[in-house]
Amino acid sequence: MLFVNGMVSGRSDMILGTEKTSVSITGIDPVVWRSMVTTELESGRYIQSGDSNSVVIGYSLAHETFLQQSP
């Protein structure tokens, strides 16, 4: 993990069922993040202060990994 300018970043493996992929992980205070981004979410909500064990994933990860899985 690398800590720079209030952000923590690194890489890890994500496993969903039998699929495994390497992902980049960035952590930042939710209040700081909301002041930096101007994009809208396709689904769900932004992480809020007090949330734990929560993530926001990018479009390609969501569509290429999760939407290919059968319910």
Side-chain angles (χ1 to χ4, degrees):
M1 289 286 176
L2 177 65
F3 183 77
V4 177
N5 296 329
M7 293 176 57
V8 178
S9 64
R11 294 196 66 76
S12 185
D13 290 332
M14 182 186 78
I15 301 170
L16 178 65
T18 59
E19 299 297 318
K20 178 179 171 181
T21 189
S22 180
V23 295
S24 174
I25 301 170
T26 302
I28 189 168
D29 184 297
V31 175
V32 174
W33 177 254
R34 288 295 292 149
S35 71
M36 294 172 51
V37 296
T38 59
T39 57
E40 294 295 320
L41 293 176
E42 179 178 301
S43 179
R45 64 172 176 81
Y46 283 103
I47 294 175
Q48 300 171 354
S49 294
D51 284 346
S52 62
N53 299 317
S54 303
V55 299
V56 174
I57 61 173
Y59 181 88
S60 61
L61 180 60
H63 287 267
E64 293 171 12
T65 303
F66 290 104
L67 291 182
Q68 291 181 4
Q69 300 292 319
S70 32

